[in-house]
Amino acid sequence: MAMSRAAAATGAVTRRRLGATAARSMASWFGHVEPAAKDPILGVTEAFLADPSPDKVNVGVGAYRDDNGKPVVLDCVREAERRITGNMNMEYLPMGGSIKMIEESLKLAYGEDSQFIKDKRIAAVQALSGTESRGLDFSGLMDDIKNAPDGSFFLLHACAHNPTGVDPSEEQWREISHQFKVKNHFPFFDMAYQGFASGDPERDAKAIRIFLEDGHQIGCAQSYAKNMGLYGQRAGCLSILCDDEMQAVAVKSQLQQIARPMYSNPPVHGALIVSTILGDPELKTLWLKEVKGMADRIIGMRKALKQNLEKLGSPMSWEHITNQIGMFCYSGMTPEQVDRLTNEFHIYMTRNGRISMAGVTTGNVAYLANAIHECHAVII
């Protein structure tokens, strides 16, 4: 009996020691972890939300807002969701994603009557979307294209360049395309703002059409975050123009193999919304109307900001505000000037001076203009 009590006591001590050792071991696994640095873009919104000032303005977030500064869900999206609800299952999509969404996306990017689509030359999968002069240094861009090694890979923004809002003109796109042919470069287009830039999806795809007319093989990444407001759905399409149908089949199989270890199957809900809207003439017409409305509001706010700055008597030119296009305005403000805007005027944006025009409203544009004027936010 005595030995049993002694053994029990010894066992209890051992368990306590093991427990303490285990606790210390577990604590040491994460005790050295330091807080991560704030995200330079998402951190702007966190700081904005924590600011109690009634005058605060957030022009950092890259998401559309109405003239009251509120998030927007398009009517065409609401109707598409109504049609989907209760009528679709939630099974896994194939690795390549929604065939219907891909078909509609290709027509939007390459053209409704594209011969490339008819010839099945495009390998495509559903994908998860994600300068100091304040203008385009076109001669510098062309020098870079000419000086790059033959056969280089270039990432190009098809429209509404992020973060500058500075796009080449149609004539400049033709010169770029010609030089790409001379150097045998591969153009890969990022098209996240089709329709959202000018209000016309065909006009916003002009750069891609120019390259197609000139006989390039291209890559294209489309996103529906901005032009359909599907920010949380991560709906997009990745496509590669190939020589023929057999090559397209092979390339698509490789794209699917890349997707498999990354996310296996793309999400279904966003794909259903996109394919429902683009595949229905009535909903597509409504979408075209609504995306033009978003683009027109942004264009209107650019004009209003420029006019308010000019009224304040600044001797500097503000033409770049209306010459740029899309969600963002590259203001030319320095990090120090941005810090002053935040600290003194409670205006939040990224420190590179990028203004999200979606955050500018008729209610805050005069206040924003005055703050920028006070900070002398111009680089000559």
Side-chain angles (χ1 to χ4, degrees), residues 151-171:
S152 291
F153 181 105
F154 277 78
L155 175 63
L156 304 169
H157 283 200
C159 61
H161 182 271
N162 180 359
T164 67
V166 177
D167 287 354
S169 66
E170 180 175 333
E171 178 66 28

Side-chain angles (χ1 to χ4, degrees), residues 228-244:
M228 286 191 183
L230 301 178
Y231 301 99
Q233 301 296 338
R234 295 300 183 188
C237 180
L238 169 64
S239 59
I240 306 290
L241 176 61
C242 302
D243 289 329
D244 52 41

Side-chain angles (χ1 to χ4, degrees), residues 123-191:
V125 295
Q126 182 184 336
L128 304 185
S129 56
T131 72
E132 288 189 359
S133 66
R134 293 162 288 145
L136 176 62
D137 180 6
F138 185 67
S139 62
L141 171 62
M142 294 302 291
D143 285 342
D144 287 341
I145 294 171
K146 293 173 183 176
N147 294 331
D150 289 1
S152 291
F153 181 105
F154 277 78
L155 175 63
L156 304 169
H157 283 200
C159 61
H161 182 271
N162 180 359
T164 67
V166 177
D167 287 354
S169 66
E170 180 175 333
E171 178 66 28
Q172 288 172 332
W173 274 123
R174 294 191 183 280
E175 291 187 49
I176 293 169
S177 174
H178 172 74
Q179 195 59 45
F180 266 56
K181 291 290 284 188
V182 171
K183 296 286 291 184
N184 194 32
H185 293 327
F186 183 82
F188 188 93
F189 286 94
D190 175 357
M191 187 157 62

Side-chain angles (χ1 to χ4, degrees), residues 34 51 73 77 80 97 160 189 221 258 267 271 287 295-296 305 317 336 359 367 369:
E34 298 291 336
D51 187 342
V73 178
V77 171
F189 286 94
I258 293 171
W287 171 65
D296 287 348
L305 180 59
S317 172
E336 293 74 23
Y367 178 75

Side-chain angles (χ1 to χ4, degrees), residues 179-231:
Q179 195 59 45
F180 266 56
K181 291 290 284 188
V182 171
K183 296 286 291 184
N184 194 32
H185 293 327
F186 183 82
F188 188 93
F189 286 94
D190 175 357
M191 187 157 62
Y193 295 91
Q194 187 180 8
F196 190 96
S198 69
D200 179 359
E202 288 298 303
R203 176 180 172 185
D204 292 345
K206 188 63 178 179
I208 290 177
R209 307 296 167 77
I210 288 171
F211 274 69
L212 293 175
E213 290 168 8
D214 289 349
H216 293 274
Q217 285 187 308
I218 72 165
C220 181
Q222 296 166 262
S223 168
Y224 295 98
K226 303 296 194 294
N227 59 10
M228 286 191 183
L230 301 178
Y231 301 99

